[in-house]
Amino acid sequence: MADPMRIRANMAGDKVEVRVLMSHEMETGQRKDAKGDIVPAHFIQNVTVTHAGKTVLSAQWGPAISKNPFMHFRFKGGKPGEKVTISWVDNKGDKRTDEATISGG
Amino acid sequence: MDIKRREVLKAGSGAGVLALAAAAGLVKPGEASAQEWNKAAFGTKSFADTVKALGGGGSTESRDIQITAPDIAENGAVVPISIESRLAKTQAIAIMIEKNPNTLSANFEIPDGTDPFVTTRVKMGETSNVYALVKADGRYFHAVKEIKVTVGGCGG
């Protein structure tokens, strides 16, 4: 199981500003190890962010997203104290879900 | 239940089982990937082919898409890219890097209520044009910016 995501969600005016840092190798499948063998691709493919039962962002990623992926976006309709939930699934079927509480601006 | 289980077992192993299990409602939606991963789009090798694989007939260059990224990236393994669209009814934002082994890096779907803005970090193998493709009101628009890479981020 991968390490927890670091999620910051805080109010910026009437919007919720979300910054998330995930812990993942994001191996491209192009790289060779010391013996010259290809290191198999291992990367996050799907990311979903939900708030109050509604998807506020969904993404499909390829292996070109950097190691330990970072994402920053904003959505309307959230209030301090409410939760933002973020899930990812990678190409090997590993997955992780974490949540954060929206803090005041 | 038993019949479904038989069908799942007969169907083979790996991803097929997962997909079937999801279809049969054996895996909670949201647990398994509820969404598909567009394998065809992530396998493309040019801007035009990626637009097609994402469902567009073509794309128009637009000044209403802003790409914020460094002109020169010293480390191609971590290149910060922000894309903001001022196009009405923006539905999706994709990032493409022309000279990477595969063009498409990411595709973000932007529901109503979410700003047409996203920042992430990408890998770049070499100096390349970076495209921001925006789907707005069912049509496709793009902006392009060249980013020079000093040390590539795809090798060992």
Side-chain angles (χ1 to χ4, degrees), chain A residues 15 17 21 25-28 30-32 43-48 54-77 87 89 93 95 97, chain B residues 18 27 30-33 35-39 42 76-79 84 97 100-102 104-115 117-124 153-156:
Chain A
K15 291 170 185 168
E17 186 115 46
L21 193 60
E25 274 307 305
M26 299 302 284
E27 191 62 61
T28 58
Q30 313 266 346
R31 211 166 57 90
K32 288 178 181 164
F43 58 96
I44 295 174
Q45 290 187 315
N46 289 100
V47 181
T48 309
K54 177 179 176 281
T55 298
V56 292
L57 188 77
S58 61
Q60 294 183 28
W61 286 354
I65 294 293
S66 299
K67 178 179 174 174
N68 297 331
F70 170 79
M71 191 169 73
H72 172 202
F73 70 99
R74 293 184 292 261
F75 71 90
K76 273 185 238 165
S87 305
V89 182
K95 57 188 116 180
T97 298
Chain B
L18 267 181
V27 178
E31 280 279 308
S33 166
Q35 11 164 5
E36 293 295 309
W37 189 69
N38 191 337
K39 196 175 175 192
F42 281 98
V78 186
V79 184
E84 182 146 30
I97 300 161
N100 269 6
N102 295 114
L104 183 61
S105 298
N107 188 26
F108 296 87
E109 283 180 35
I110 314 284
D112 283 347
T114 296
D115 278 5
F117 155 83
V118 70
T119 298
T120 189
R121 297 172 186 155
V122 299
K123 293 173 216 167
M124 292 181 65
C154 287

Side-chain angles (χ1 to χ4, degrees), chain A:
Chain A
M1 179 60 103
D3 288 335
M5 293 176 232
R6 282 160 56 195
I7 306 169
R8 260 175 45 203
N10 50 279
M11 298 302 298
D14 64 338
K15 291 170 185 168
V16 181
E17 186 115 46
V18 182
R19 286 182 178 83
V20 51
L21 193 60
M22 302 169 188
S23 173
H24 202 285
E25 274 307 305
M26 299 302 284
E27 191 62 61
T28 58
Q30 313 266 346
R31 211 166 57 90
K32 288 178 181 164
D33 64 15
K35 285 188 277 179
D37 298 326
I38 296 273
V39 182
H42 187 206
F43 58 96
I44 295 174
Q45 290 187 315
N46 289 100
V47 181
T48 309
V49 186
T50 56
H51 164 259
K54 177 179 176 281
T55 298
V56 292
L57 188 77
S58 61
Q60 294 183 28
W61 286 354
I65 294 293
S66 299
K67 178 179 174 174
N68 297 331
F70 170 79
M71 191 169 73
H72 172 202
F73 70 99
R74 293 184 292 261
F75 71 90
K76 273 185 238 165
K79 292 186 189 68
E82 294 176 348
K83 304 266 192 223
V84 173
T85 306
I86 306 183
S87 305
W88 59 249
V89 182
D90 71 21
N91 66 320
K92 293 183 180 176
D94 292 342
K95 57 188 116 180
R96 166 133 213 129
T97 298
D98 290 289
E99 61 178 25
T101 305
I102 301 169
S103 64

